[in-house]
Amino acid sequence: GKNRAIAVCFILGLGSLVSWNSILTIGDYYYQLFPNYHPSRVLTLVYQPFAIGTLIVMTHYESKINTRLRNVVGFTLFFVATFLILILDLATSGKGGIGPYLAICFLSACFGVADAFVQGGMVGDLYFMCPKFVQSFLAGLAASGALISLLRVLTKLAFEKSSNGLRKGAILFLAISTLIEFLCIFLYAIYFTKLPIVKYYRAKAASEGSKTVAADLAAAGIKTETNDQAEHDDKQVDRLSNKQLFLANIDYAADLFLIYVITLSIFPGFLYENTGEHQLGTWYPIVLIVMYNVLDLIARYIPLVQWLKLESRKGLLIAILSRFLLIPAFYFTAKYGDQGWMIFLTSFLGLTNGYLTVCVFTLAPRGYKASLY
């Protein structure tokens, strides 16, 4: 079941970001509805604190949380929030105003919470298995952006000359995202947990002391030992505390933080609001978003080639710190450069984001057992 598990991980990764990417990609529609409220900037600022805050709380209680329930709740929240944004647009007939805008902000906060539930839960769950599952999940995250970008191009071509073309495209995006989120609930809750290789890895994790996989094993029809039995099992391995794990991997934590500080300071708000007018006209921000997402997806497969994978912890940190040069590069390109240079820089931003993210995530699981220290 390994290949099937890899495929499911890809789809679950797709579902973990497809709704949020839909909101980002239809930014031009929201700028038409809410021209004075800076939607791309504000929605990102609303989304991130809820994602990070929820993730911190989840990390603190990680060893006591039912991972199966966490992921099912996360995908369900994605489904409900996406469906409600669709209903909101239909109910208001695509009208602007402060009321609908605040509702979208609230639902963006729900996306942040769902993101913390799903991405943290799924990555933690897959770390019990094998790096290829993690890589496939991360590739699915990037594929969500590439898929939505491709759909955005197709809908713009199809509806550009029709009345309310932006709204029709946005509705199509939200409908597709809703269906994908519903599929993810089914795949994770029913199909994934019953794959033989997944049951094997989870049973192995339970034998080594993990308590978070018990519900998934029960759903697959596998009973785990009670705590009293586990205490007398020689196979049990003491778990490192959260503090010990953090200190042992503090450079990886800094890596991820710095990767997304740079990426989110540029994408998507800067690309929508600070790149000026160019020959591509209304296509310009769409082309930038497409190039970022496509290169982000391609880059997440580069580490599969072993000699292209950056494994040095010091090398990773140096490469990530060097991305700070992108901030002045984007500033001067927006001020003095033409659209070709901006497209190149945006592509490079996506390339480095995807590549470095996968390198960090597929290296970080090493050494999480106390017996290895």
Side-chain angles (χ1 to χ4, degrees), residues 181-211:
E181 299 299 355
F182 183 78
L183 174 63
C184 286
I185 297 172
F186 167 79
L187 283 177
Y188 179 79
I190 299 174
Y191 184 76
F192 185 66
T193 197
K194 293 182 179 180
L195 291 174
I197 193 168
V198 173
K199 290 192 286 186
Y200 163 76
Y201 278 123
R202 284 175 172 162
K204 184 173 181 290
S207 71
E208 295 173 347
S210 173
K211 300 176 183 177

Side-chain angles (χ1 to χ4, degrees), residues 258-267 270 320-335 342 345 348-349:
L258 294 173
I259 287 171
Y260 288 98
V261 162
I262 298 301
T263 299
L264 294 173
S265 67
I266 298 168
F267 180 88
F270 180 88
I320 289 164
L321 288 173
S322 67
R323 291 180 85 233
F324 275 91
L325 294 173
L326 287 172
I327 293 178
F330 269 94
Y331 173 78
F332 286 109
T333 301
K335 195 170 185 179
M342 184 59 73
L345 273 181
F348 186 74
L349 179 72

Side-chain angles (χ1 to χ4, degrees), residues 353-365:
N353 183 83
Y355 174 75
L356 293 171
T357 297
V358 170
C359 284
V360 172
F361 269 113
T362 52
L363 290 174

Side-chain angles (χ1 to χ4, degrees), residues 225-236:
E225 294 176 325
T226 63
N227 289 337
D228 291 337
Q229 290 173 315
E231 288 175 1
H232 296 91
D233 191 340
D234 293 334
K235 294 181 180 180
Q236 295 294 316

